[in-house]
Structures are given as structure tokens and as C-alpha cells.
């Protein structure tokens, strides 16, 4: 049985819900999964693999996600890691391609990290819940959306044991 950390960097909770879903799926397979906020300072000792999820805000991963990768640079370079980013709030190819581009660009800055899998999931937005500085007039007028595709999230989670090398014959 492998011990897998699922870390999430979220502002409004949609990324955490995806992290929970990924963890639940890994757990069903029999792995020990631990869902933790990326802001946690605890050491990563004892984990066999990691999944790191972070929301994209204004074309970059949120600060907690960037700090997490930098704070745990060494530990993460020594274990298999998968990464997911969130997430377009308009269902257009352009938004998904852009989000992936920004995620890749941001990950490229962590030279020691070589994720075994990277993906982008659609995001969720409830404009009535936005706080400063997100609650600007432009964002407040965006319609509510939830583009999280739970089937695609489960399928990705199911691909992780092999990608993370957790399958033992
Ligand atoms: C102010 C603001 C800026 C955003 N910028 C981006 C962006 O550049 N790229 C993107 O893909 N999604 C962007 N989003 C969408 C969020 O990533 C999406 O709502 C995500 O699900 C939020 O995650 P959270 O609920 O875990 O905080 C933005 C959302 C807000 C409110």
C-alpha cells in the first residue's frame, strides 16, 4: 500500500473538492491518501508519491501552490509527482489551451520538478463569493459556472497509480 499526498492550493474551495475526489479514487484502490492544503508546513517525509493541484489566477498558479513547490523542492524531486491545474471558467478550447500553457510555464520555473502527469481541469466560479481583490467589477459580472468534469477527474485519478509507479506486480 502506497502513501500518497494530495496537496491543494485553493482560494474558494473548488480545487480542494477536486483534490478530495482524486484522493477518494486513489483510496478506493487501496492507497493511503492524505489531503492537505499546500500552505501546510509539515515535512513530506514518508510519502511515496504526491499529487499537487492548484488554481490558476490571472495566468499563474496561486501563491500557496508556487510556495509549496519551492518549499518542498528537494522532497518533490525525489518522489513521483502529478500536477493538476484549475481552471477555465468558459468552455472554449482557447481557455483550456491558455490555462495549460500558463501552467506549463509556471512549472518550468521549478527545474528540479519533473511531473509524471500534468493536466488542467475546468474551474468553478461563483461571482457572489468573490472577495477582494477578485471581486472587481469585471469578475462580478461573469456568470456562475462549474466546468469540473467529474468523470474526467476520476479517469485521470485512475491513471495515476501507473503513472506514479504505485502498481506492484
Ligand atoms: C480573479 C480571477 C482570475 C482568474 N484567472 C484565471 C486564469 O488566468 N486562468 C484560468 O484558467 N482560470 C482563472 N480563473 C478561474 C479559477 O482558476 C477557477 O475559478 C478555479 O476553479 C478557482 O479555484 P478555487 O475555487 O480552488 O480557488 C480566475 C478566477 C478569478 C476569480
Amino acid at each position: 500500500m502506497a502513501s500518497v499526498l494530495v496537496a491543494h492550493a485553493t482560494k474558494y474551495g473548488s480545487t480542494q473538492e477536486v483534490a478530495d475526489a482524486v484522493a477518494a479514487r486513489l483510496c478506493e484502490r487501496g492507497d493511503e491518501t492524505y489531503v492537505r492544503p499546500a500552505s501546510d508546513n509539515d515535512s513530506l517525509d514518508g510519502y511515496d508519491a504526491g499529487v499537487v493541484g492548484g488554481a490558476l489566477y490571472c495566468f499563474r498558479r496561486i501563491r500557496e501552490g508556487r510556495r509549496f513547490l519551492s518549499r518542498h523542492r528537494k522532497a518533490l524531486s525525489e518522489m513521483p509527482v502529478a500536477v493538476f491545474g484549475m481552471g477555465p471558467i468558459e468552455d472554449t478550447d482557447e481557455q483550456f489551451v491558455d490555462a495549460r500553457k500558463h501552467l506549463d510555464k509556471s512549472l518550468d520555473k521549478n527545474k528540479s520538478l519533473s511531473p509524471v502527469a500534468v493536466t488542467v481541469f475546468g474551474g468553478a466560479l461563483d461571482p457572489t463569493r468573490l472577495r477582494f481583490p477578485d471581486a472587481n467589477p469585471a469578475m462580478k459580472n461573469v456568470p456562475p459556472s462549474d466546468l469540473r468534469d467529474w468523470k474526467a477527474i476520476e479517469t485521470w485519478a485512475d491513471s495515476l497509480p501507473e503513472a506514479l509507479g504505485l502498481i506492484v506486480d
Side-chain angles (χ1 to χ4, degrees), residues 10 12-21 84-91 96 120-126 129 145-154:
T10 181
Y12 297 102
S14 64
T15 306
Q16 178 173 357
E17 287 167 0
V18 172
D20 286 339
F84 69 87
M86 306 264 298
I89 48 174
E90 276 174 40
D91 199 1
F96 277 82
V120 166
F121 296 123
L125 177 78
D126 176 354
R129 292 184 56 222
S145 64
D146 188 344
L147 294 182
R148 289 172 296 176
D149 178 342
W150 296 105
K151 192 77 219 139
I153 290 163
E154 276 183 14

Side-chain angles (χ1 to χ4, degrees), residues 9-16 55-60 62 86-89 95 99 102 120 122-125 130 133-134 136 139 148:
T10 181
K11 266 199 202 184
Y12 297 102
S14 64
T15 306
Q16 178 173 357
L56 292 162
Y57 279 89
C58 302
F59 317 117
R60 48 199 320 233
I62 64 175
M86 306 264 298
I89 48 174
Q95 280 230 356
H102 293 128
V120 166
L125 177 78
L130 295 179
D134 306 325
N136 55 57
M139 289 313 286
R148 289 172 296 176

Side-chain angles (χ1 to χ4, degrees), residues 6-79:
V6 184
H8 55 80
T10 181
K11 266 199 202 184
Y12 297 102
S14 64
T15 306
Q16 178 173 357
E17 287 167 0
V18 172
D20 286 339
V22 169
R25 207 68 189 174
L26 290 170
C27 203
E28 271 175 37
R29 203 193 73 97
D31 293 313
E32 253 178 43
T33 56
Y34 298 87
V35 181
R36 280 172 38 181
S39 52
D40 262 14
N41 264 323
D42 300 356
S43 131
L44 302 193
D45 286 355
Y47 293 113
D48 299 305
V51 179
V52 184
L56 292 162
Y57 279 89
C58 302
F59 317 117
R60 48 199 320 233
R61 281 173 306 129
I62 64 175
R63 195 173 46 195
E64 287 75 13
R66 298 196 306 272
R67 285 190 175 163
F68 179 83
L69 294 188
S70 136
R71 191 165 61 248
H72 297 293
R73 189 182 307 270
K74 184 163 185 304
L76 292 170
S77 71
E78 291 167 355
M79 69 168 82

